[in-house]
């Protein structure tokens, strides 16, 4: 099942509105390999975050289905970790304590010292080894997002879901955290889906970039295979001979909306 570790089949989401049913996502079909990193990109309103919410179990599926590691997704669960644009931390707890909340829940049978080692390891990996005992209220936005990333990886999820994780950060912090994410992901190779508006971010992170048509009734319009070895850095991406070709293909699709290039086989 490794070639179909995560499978979306005719996934559809319809909302009731005063003017009648509104179908936001209409027949989203995709198969992902175990350990693959996919970026979802498209204009605002194309249903990217809706797809992410459905696979996270935070929104009901209207029709179709999602299967993760041979089991249908029918609600939220610890096998899926989500990093949102604004990390949801308890401000009165330390960075370490915020990560431990999830670790204690997911690994209840491990020893206390083992659980603490997991939290400390991932906080160190995201560059917070010196600040893990500081309260979340004392951290900058970039440091809070590092805690959110550490917490997600510490859960050892089957699927990592990222919803515009760096959208609220300044450019320099965003670039730095993108590379932190790549470094930690390269160690774990967890299957991951990232929603982004940023073309360069999509190319930096993804094995494949899935481009969605404009909403409503959005679906996959085109899939770009990014043949650049991991782990990647922003510098290595910019220096890669196919970077500008990939970038132009993404921009051409986004400028064309529904009239983008035909979809490749998933």
């Amino acid at each position: 099942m490794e070639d179909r570790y995560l499978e979306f089949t005719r996934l559809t989401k319809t909302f009731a509105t005063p003017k009648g049913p509104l179908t936001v996502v209409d027949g989203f079909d995709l198969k992902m390999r175990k350990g693959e990193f996919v970026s979802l990109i498209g204009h605002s309103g194309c249903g990217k975050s809706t797809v992410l919410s459905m696979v996270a179990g935070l929104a009901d599926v209207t029709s179709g289905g999602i299967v993760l590691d041979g089991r249908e997704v029918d609600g939220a669960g610890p096998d899926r970790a989500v990093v949102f644009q604004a990390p949801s931390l308890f401000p009165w707890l330390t960075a370490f304590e915020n990560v431990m909340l999830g670790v204690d829940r997911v690994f209840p049978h491990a020893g206390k010292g083992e659980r603490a080692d997991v939290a400390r390891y991932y906080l160190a990996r995201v560059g917070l080894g010196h600040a893990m005992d500081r309260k979340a209220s004392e951290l900058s936005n970039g440091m809070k997002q590092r805690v959110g990333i550490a917490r997600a990886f510490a859960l050892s999820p089957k699927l990592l879901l990222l919803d515009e994780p760096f959208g609220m950060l300044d450019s320099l912090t965003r670039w730095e955290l993108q590379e932190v994410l790549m470094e930690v992901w390269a160690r774990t190779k967890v299957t991951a889906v990232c929603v982004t508006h940023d073309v360069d971010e999509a190319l930096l992170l993804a094995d494949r970039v899935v481009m969605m048509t404009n909403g409503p009734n959005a679906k996959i319009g085109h899939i770009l295979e990014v043949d650049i070895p991991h782990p990647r850095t922003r510098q290595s991406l910019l220096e890669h001979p196919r970077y500008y070709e990939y970038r132009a293909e993404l921009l051409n699709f986004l400028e064309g909306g529904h009239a983008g290039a035909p979809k490749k086989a998933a």
Side-chain angles (χ1 to χ4, degrees):
M1 297 293 291
E2 291 206 353
D3 287 340
R4 298 168 57 184
Y5 188 72
L6 176 61
E7 187 169 5
F8 302 87
T9 304
R10 298 179 183 175
L11 191 65
T12 300
K13 180 63 177 177
T14 300
F15 293 96
T17 74
K19 296 183 179 180
L22 175 66
T23 299
V24 177
V25 178
D26 188 6
F28 184 94
D29 279 289
L30 183 69
K31 296 179 181 67
M32 285 180 59
R33 302 182 302 274
K34 186 175 184 179
E36 185 178 18
F37 200 123
V38 162
S39 289
L40 289 183
I41 197 167
H43 293 290
S44 295
C46 74
K48 305 182 300 296
S49 292
T50 302
V51 170
L52 206 76
S53 294
M54 286 189 282
V55 70
L58 303 176
D60 293 334
V61 173
T62 302
S63 64
I66 306 166
V67 174
L68 172 62
D69 193 19
R71 299 187 64 178
E72 186 169 8
V73 171
D74 59 1
D79 58 344
R80 283 148 287 146
V82 188
V83 179
F84 295 104
Q85 190 174 92
S88 301
L89 305 180
F90 291 103
W92 60 88
L93 298 181
T94 65
F96 174 78
E97 289 167 339
N98 269 284
V99 175
M100 281 296 291
L101 284 175
V103 174
D104 285 341
R105 182 183 177 96
V106 173
F107 304 112
H109 302 299
K112 185 176 181 180
E114 291 176 298
R115 297 197 300 271
D117 286 345
V118 170
R120 291 193 188 100
Y121 173 81
Y122 284 105
L123 283 165
R125 289 262 62 87
V126 300
L128 288 179
H130 66 292
M132 63 179 69
D133 293 322
R134 289 173 59 183
K135 289 184 178 179
S137 59
E138 301 170 354
L139 303 177
S140 67
N141 286 337
M143 293 172 79
K144 288 177 182 176
Q145 196 61 299
R146 288 173 188 260
V147 176
I149 293 170
R151 180 176 57 188
F153 279 101
L155 301 180
S156 294
K158 291 182 177 180
L159 181 64
L160 176 65
L161 301 167
L162 305 127
D163 192 0
E164 295 280 358
F166 312 121
M168 295 179 65
L169 305 176
D170 63 85
S171 295
L172 291 178
T173 304
R174 184 166 67 246
W175 295 343
E176 184 179 356
L177 285 192
Q178 286 167 351
E179 295 198 359
V180 166
L181 174 63
M182 274 286 89
E183 192 272 334
V184 182
W185 177 84
R187 290 172 177 269
T188 64
K189 290 295 176 72
V190 62
T191 309
V193 180
C194 179
V195 165
T196 181
H197 284 93
D198 187 318
V199 167
D200 288 325
E201 182 171 281
L203 290 174
L204 174 67
L205 301 177
D207 297 302
R208 288 189 293 167
V209 181
V210 174
M211 295 167 245
M212 295 186 68
T213 61
N214 295 341
N217 297 99
K219 59 189 67 179
I220 295 175
H222 186 46
I223 298 175
L224 173 66
E225 300 271 356
V226 184
D227 187 18
I228 301 176
H230 283 290
R232 300 173 192 157
T233 64
R234 178 166 290 273
Q235 188 64 33
S236 67
L237 177 68
L238 294 174
E239 292 174 352
H240 194 276
R242 298 195 65 187
Y243 163 68
Y244 290 101
E245 174 190 335
Y246 289 142
R247 196 172 192 274
E249 188 170 343
L250 279 177
L251 290 173
N252 287 340
F253 178 87
L254 293 173
E255 289 171 2
H258 285 288
K263 183 180 75 171
K264 294 178 181 177

